[in-house]
Amino acid sequence: MHLAYPAVLAALLFCTGLYGVLARRNAILVLMSVELMLNAVNLNLVAFDVWLSKAARDTLHSGQALTLFTIAIAAAEIGIGLAIVLAVHRNRGTADIDRLRDTAEGPETGSDDGGPDRHGPAGDGGPDGGPEGAPVPADEKAEATA
């Protein structure tokens, strides 16, 4: 068998996994795409090991041994990754990567696009429009809520 067949198959698997990592928004699908990429690398390791072992009969089959280590590390990675995804899903209720990234950055302090500011109508610091930390009289609080 030619070396080109497994190499082309591994390239297709790797490109499919790369597309899955870049295009998917679900964390579990991203982890599955990473596994697909690792399997493409494993296929290359075994194919090149077999190809190189035909030249020398007394080889150690280091590509196949490295593949076993890669499989073990990938299994540990997917176990930890799924545990993290499940814990985040329990706390936040979603496994969407964009939403998780938005919540990790925290709330913005102001908006530059002309939208409403989170500090109130005047937008100058305090929650009621006054300077930050300054006490607001009770009658102004009543007017602000009315």
Side-chain angles (χ1 to χ4, degrees):
M1 183 166 75
H2 296 288
L3 182 63
Y5 298 134
V8 168
L9 179 62
L12 289 173
L13 283 174
F14 191 84
C15 289
T16 305
L18 185 64
Y19 173 75
V21 167
L22 295 176
R24 300 291 179 198
R25 297 293 172 235
N26 191 343
I28 294 176
L29 292 177
V30 170
L31 286 173
M32 289 174 61
S33 298
V34 169
E35 288 294 320
L36 197 60
M37 292 168 62
L38 286 172
N39 285 332
V41 171
N42 288 338
L43 180 61
N44 267 335
L45 283 172
V46 171
F48 277 98
D49 182 50
V50 168
W51 183 64
L52 290 174
S53 69
K54 288 182 180 178
R57 293 286 177 200
D58 298 329
T59 59
L60 297 175
H61 297 291
S62 58
Q64 294 177 15
L66 191 56
T67 298
L68 289 175
F69 284 117
T70 306
I71 290 171
I73 289 173
E77 173 256 335
I78 200 70
I80 292 171
L82 281 176
I84 291 171
V85 167
L86 286 174
V88 167
H89 188 270
R90 283 183 186 165
N91 288 337
R92 304 244 170 98
T94 184
D96 189 14
I97 294 176
D98 287 337
R99 289 185 184 176
L100 297 178
R101 188 177 345 158
D102 292 341
T103 56
E105 292 172 357
E108 294 183 16
T109 57
S111 65
D112 297 334
D113 58 354
D117 197 87
R118 75 177 183 102
H119 290 297
D124 55 352
D128 293 322
E132 194 164 359
V136 179
D139 57 342
E140 287 183 20
K141 282 185 183 178
E143 287 179 8
T145 58

